[in-house]
Amino acid sequence: MTARFDTYGVMVTGAARGIGEATARRFAAEGAGVLVADLDEEAARRTASAIEADGGRAVGVGCDVADSAAVGEAVEVAVAAFGTLDVLVNNAYSCSERRDGFTDERDEDWQRDLDICLIGTMRCSRAALPHLSAAPGRRGAVVNIGSVNGLSYFGNHSYSAAKAGLISLTRSLAVESASSGVRVNMVAPGTIRTPAWQGRERVLEAAARSYPLGRVGEPSDIAAAVAFLASQDAAWITGITLPVEGGILGVNLGFMEALQQVE
């Protein structure tokens, strides 16, 4: 694999497992030093150790993106470890369990999902931007991890609203940061096979049948898109939301099934 990120320092939140881990591994494989930040500090350190065992450079730290002080400390660890911070990947998330209906929604669920998915992204970006702006060659970049839930209806109201807000934040930060040479983009994944689905493999199998490409996504699918948007291959791309979703946004299964019932 080419070393597109040789000499880069990269911070990935929620990086101990799933999409975050795959993304951290992708950057390390392409030459970057990676800060593996996660609420679960022990798991973050394990992932960082595994990356180093594979020949990469990584440091694992505990980081609660709901805590501004913890975010600031994690950013400083990245700068101290790698001498630079060139890329921030905002992947940490909270997705409250689905309720029977909207009238069953709870304030605390909305507050948690918004605080982690949306405000947490703001906290991390705010702390990282001075360093990203100082990155050589105008290579500073932020890549946010959104969801197709922010683009269409897939349930989970509070999570979906937070991810929709992230689309706006991505555009705003892109314009705000452009003069300092920092690009800000977002990847919106569809259903991805992560540890969050453990024990629900049959649900994933059913979901796969709804995707035009015939499968759910893998964490590596998202990591590849993130690496592209963070790289100089995307040097003239900022403020966009890139769906990586196997074609699910292009279909309307309910409409198709309704037609089939009367034909």
Side-chain angles (χ1 to χ4, degrees):
M1 190 172 289
T2 59
R4 286 187 295 181
F5 301 106
D6 189 31
T7 75
Y8 277 57
V10 177
M11 175 176 170
V12 183
T13 66
R17 55 184 64 83
I19 291 172
E21 179 183 1
T23 300
R25 287 181 174 277
R26 178 66 183 247
F27 277 109
E30 294 201 45
V34 183
L35 187 79
V36 178
D38 200 281
L39 183 63
D40 186 340
E41 182 173 357
E42 183 178 346
R45 294 188 184 278
R46 284 199 303 269
T47 296
S49 294
I51 290 172
E52 290 195 305
D54 289 337
R57 294 181 295 137
V59 175
V61 298
C63 180
D64 181 359
V65 301
D67 182 339
S68 294
V71 167
E73 290 170 6
V75 167
E76 293 306 320
V77 169
V79 174
F82 310 122
T84 181
L85 181 60
D86 305 279
V87 177
L88 169 66
V89 181
N90 288 304
N91 173 68
Y93 78 99
S94 171
C95 182
S96 299
E97 66 182 43
R98 298 183 68 160
R99 301 284 167 182
D100 291 335
F102 188 77
T103 55
D104 297 309
E105 299 284 287
R106 303 186 309 189
D107 285 6
E108 55 266 36
D109 292 335
W110 276 76
Q111 289 164 352
R112 176 68 178 172
D113 289 355
L114 288 167
D115 198 26
I116 300 301
C117 295
L118 182 57
I119 304 175
T121 294
M122 180 279 294
R123 293 186 186 100
C124 293
S125 301
R126 181 178 61 191
L129 274 169
H131 301 285
L132 300 176
S133 299
R138 295 174 67 88
R139 68 189 191 186
V142 177
V143 183
N144 298 322
I145 306 299
S147 172
V148 292
N149 284 56
L151 296 164
S152 189
Y153 176 71
F154 292 96
N156 296 101
H157 303 111
S158 52
Y159 172 79
S160 299
K163 293 299 189 179
L166 199 51
I167 296 172
S168 178
L169 178 60
T170 297
R171 285 194 300 260
S172 298
L173 284 179
V175 174
E176 180 79 14
S177 305
S179 61
S180 60
V182 178
R183 297 178 300 102
V184 185
N185 292 293
M186 185 165 88
V187 174
T191 306
I192 306 298
R193 191 188 309 276
T194 68
W197 291 95
Q198 187 171 357
R200 296 189 291 163
E201 286 75 14
R202 292 183 63 186
V203 177
L204 284 180
E205 291 174 5
R209 293 192 290 271
S210 299
Y211 280 81
L213 289 181
R215 66 174 178 89
V216 298
E218 300 295 335
S220 58
D221 293 315
I222 306 307
V226 172
F228 164 67
L229 287 174
S231 76
Q232 290 301 294
D233 293 333
W236 210 47
I237 300 175
T238 196
I240 66 103
T241 294
L242 174 64
V244 182
E245 40 69 86
I248 193 65
L249 291 173
V251 300
N252 187 326
L253 293 177
F255 178 75
M256 293 168 61
E257 290 170 359
L259 289 182
Q260 291 169 357
Q261 290 174 5
V262 297
E263 287 181 349

